Amino acid sequence: MGVLDIMQTKQAIRRNFPLFGRLRYLFESIRPEIQQYFVESDTTGRPFSRMFRSVIYQRSKKVLDTTPFGTQLNVYDNNYEWLSHSITAIDYFKINEHPRVTVGGPQCTQPYSSSVFNISAMSYGSLSKNAVMALNEGARIGSFYHNTGEGGLTDYHLAGGGDVVWQIGTGYFGCRHADGNFNPDAFAEKAKHPQVKMIEIKLSQGAKPGHGGILPAIKVTPEVARIRLVEVGKEVDSPPFHRKFSTPLGLLDFVKQLRDLSDGKPIGFKLCIGHRSEFIAICKAMVETDIYPDFITVDGGEGGTGAAPLEFSNSVGMPLRDALAFVYDCLTGFNLKRHIKIIAAGKIATGFDLVKNFALGADICNSARGMMMALGCIQALQCHANTCPTGVATQAPHLVKGLVVAEKRVRVANFHHETVKSAGELMGAAGIKHPDDIHRVYIHRRVSPNKVETYLDSFPYIPAGSLFERPYPKSFELLMKISRPDSFQPDFSGVDFVEYSWAKKPMTG
Ligand SMILES: Cc1cc2nc3c(=O)[nH]c(=O)nc-3n(C[C@H](O)[C@H](O)[C@H](O)COP(=O)(O)O)c2cc1C
Ligand code: SF4
């Protein structure tokens, strides 16, 4: 082995330190585990700290989920957030069942009663078949929905009998012609399946907005390739844009087409906010056409993925808090909120996460990585390598078999139940009777050592209907000027940027 090390030319450390040099690669390969087991504290692991992972595991196993001795968070750190409770706290579940939200605007004929907490989009291919089946069965047990992800609707999504949201990405997997274009007939046939409760057009996701889905070559098994109509063993790169439309008006036409083809099921779209003017352009197109999506899913830039380029995960896309407040404000500004439910995703895994997103404007929340942890994911961070040790995000049969569906489906259902229960208890502590009654003023955030703001201070509401007529709220002036319903592109022609530079909250599109 030493001679081999000296002879090889690829790794300098092995050439210079034969045999011992190998240790570097060994330790490098087990670094995440060493980090987790020996180095990280309860509050430091990333993306989910040990404290939050532990509570997910405890809730999914329904074991003790209380903590001793007080918070481990530093309540004087910037960004520390808390809920204001009430002297007249209530027993939330004495008045309410687990809360549900009806999704379906005026153009929908098959509205869906959704749980407030559901499984976010993750495809078969990215996840193993056992993971998909356990998620779907968990969704059935707990009466919540399971989003298929952009990889298409498969038998594994239907096997458990749980409610499904079928996601259509730019690859149109499951409803495409061989040339990659959308196939309305294939769509209509699947969309009418009784388990498909809603359809979601994926415009972008927070972990890689503007990039398009990636399924690494090693995960493209013959079965995945057959389902997606792609080549075995070749990386699947979905296009970064939809072929079916290229303007906001075109997007709404597509919404209408899908609604017609699915016999009136709720249709929505998912996006991570990029150019803010694009979202305003979509709202203007809704006003112009009177076509409304039934829901809009807002994914934060902090969102997860099976595989993404680092720069996209780290540095593209608006984080959830800002995006959610912005989307809610746009919809109220155009008087559209009454037709459209907002779904939020982005590191939502506890009752407090639910409550603070309700406060910002979400009606419903989704979780992807929380649900993966309920399935047993240990945050080993190998989802892209097909070596997931827990059988969650791999297609390797010897690893997939470790994930026992009958066991993990119960954990998924438990995690859902306990998290919604925790949100209910928090709302009760604040004296709130329904998620709709939580407002931005309920959540406080330390923004500097001596300054605390509520979400209302950070994200002031704009008046309902205020985007119909000038003067617009100051922070929307430039956005309103540069957005058009017939183009996603901001139109900067004739814009004097200096004029907008002094505004209190300039928004540069
Ligand atoms: C393994 C994995 C696969 C995903 N696949 C998709 C997908 O196919 N379509 C999509 O819109 N989002 C996908 N996402 C993003 C999630 O649906 C979700 O929006 C994002 O991870 C934020 O939720 P989280 O913070 O709870 O994970 C994926 C996320 C993960 C972790
Ligand atoms: S345990 Fe599996 S699913 Fe979880 S982060 Fe690691 S590789 Fe991904």
Side-chain angles (χ1 to χ4, degrees), residues 120-121 123 126 149-150 167 202 205 270 299 304 306 347 368-369:
S120 197
S123 311
S126 180
E150 65 180 298
Q167 188 182 71
K202 178 187 169 185
Q205 80 180 82
K270 170 175 180 173
D299 198 20
K347 288 188 81 173
R369 288 168 292 180

Side-chain angles (χ1 to χ4, degrees), residues 347-361:
K347 288 188 81 173
I348 298 174
T350 65
F352 182 56
D353 293 336
L354 289 181
V355 170
K356 68 186 190 186
N357 283 293
F358 294 150
L360 279 170

Side-chain angles (χ1 to χ4, degrees), residues 23 66 192 470 507:
L23 290 177
T66 48
K192 286 178 189 152
R470 287 204 164 81
M507 292 193 182

Side-chain angles (χ1 to χ4, degrees), residues 18-329:
L19 291 180
F20 290 105
R22 286 171 183 256
L23 290 177
R24 179 194 188 280
Y25 300 98
L26 172 72
F27 288 139
E28 189 71 24
S29 71
I30 54 171
R31 184 175 177 277
E33 286 82 357
I34 294 182
Q35 182 85 11
Q36 258 192 35
Y37 297 133
F38 304 112
V39 180
E40 79 177 26
S41 71
D42 280 357
T43 54
T44 54
R46 286 272 181 271
F48 289 83
S49 69
R50 181 166 201 87
M51 183 168 54
F52 290 112
R53 294 201 309 274
S54 299
V55 85
I56 295 170
Y57 299 142
Q58 287 160 354
R59 287 185 176 157
S60 56
K61 291 179 198 161
K62 274 210 177 167
V63 295
L64 189 71
D65 67 346
T66 48
T67 52
F69 227 65
T71 182
Q72 297 196 28
L73 301 177
N74 184 346
V75 297
Y76 299 102
D77 273 350
N78 282 356
N79 276 328
Y80 172 73
E81 292 178 325
W82 71 94
L83 167 75
S84 44
H85 64 282
S86 167
I87 292 172
T88 54
I90 55 172
D91 185 342
Y92 182 86
F93 289 108
K94 257 201 177 145
I95 328 174
N96 294 302
E97 302 277 287
H98 274 217
R100 295 193 79 84
V101 174
T102 302
V103 187
Q107 291 142 359
C108 160
T109 54
Q110 298 193 52
Y112 172 62
S113 167
S114 168
S115 168
V116 292
F117 188 47
N118 303 280
I119 303 168
S120 197
M122 290 180 285
S123 311
Y124 169 59
S126 180
L127 300 191
S128 69
K129 63 180 185 187
N130 286 14
V132 171
M133 287 192 290
L135 288 175
N136 193 261
E137 292 193 22
R140 176 181 48 78
I141 296 168
S143 301
F144 51 103
Y145 73 69
H146 173 199
N147 188 313
T148 63
E150 65 180 298
L153 176 69
T154 69
D155 292 343
Y156 303 123
H157 291 103
L158 299 170
D163 291 351
V164 165
V165 173
W166 180 17
Q167 188 182 71
I168 314 283
T170 55
Y172 303 125
F173 298 120
C175 56
R176 72 191 218 134
H177 291 293
D179 65 1
N181 280 314
F182 176 67
N183 178 342
D185 298 330
F187 172 82
E189 191 195 320
K190 291 205 174 88
K192 286 178 189 152
H193 193 290
Q195 258 172 274
V196 174
K197 301 295 180 190
M198 310 204 285
I199 288 118
E200 180 176 81
I201 303 165
K202 178 187 169 185
L203 302 180
S204 55
Q205 80 180 82
K208 48 186 170 190
H211 193 281
I214 305 172
L215 187 64
I218 195 159
K219 293 175 110 174
V220 187
T221 61
E223 189 185 27
V224 171
R226 186 172 44 73
I227 292 169
R228 297 197 184 197
L229 277 184
V230 294
E231 260 180 69
V232 180
K234 192 167 167 222
E235 180 167 296
V236 183
D237 289 315
S238 300
F241 56 87
H242 275 266
R243 296 182 184 196
K244 193 69 185 65
F245 57 86
S246 57
T247 64
L249 293 170
L251 166 64
L252 295 177
D253 275 348
F254 192 42
V255 167
K256 181 170 183 322
Q257 183 186 11
L258 297 191
R259 199 181 280 126
D260 293 343
L261 289 168
S262 64
D263 286 346
K265 290 190 177 171
I267 312 289
F269 58 82
K270 170 175 180 173
L271 85 172
C272 172
I273 296 290
H275 290 304
R276 279 178 270 211
S277 59
E278 293 181 344
F279 190 77
I280 303 255
I282 298 174
C283 292
K284 286 185 175 177
M286 289 184 215
V287 172
E288 188 172 311
T289 58
D290 259 344
I291 302 173
Y292 316 111
D294 300 288
F295 65 95
I296 295 175
T297 306
V298 184
D299 198 20
E302 62 270 58
T305 175
L310 179 88
E311 291 84 348
F312 278 78
S313 285
N314 282 353
S315 314
V316 188
M318 192 184 285
L320 181 60
R321 213 160 45 201
D322 309 84
L324 193 52
F326 172 71
V327 166
Y328 180 88
D329 291 345

Side-chain angles (χ1 to χ4, degrees), residues 372 377-383 388-390 392-393:
M372 287 167 82
C377 160
I378 54 167
Q379 199 167 271
L381 308 183
Q382 297 165 27
C383 315
C388 169
T390 58
V392 176

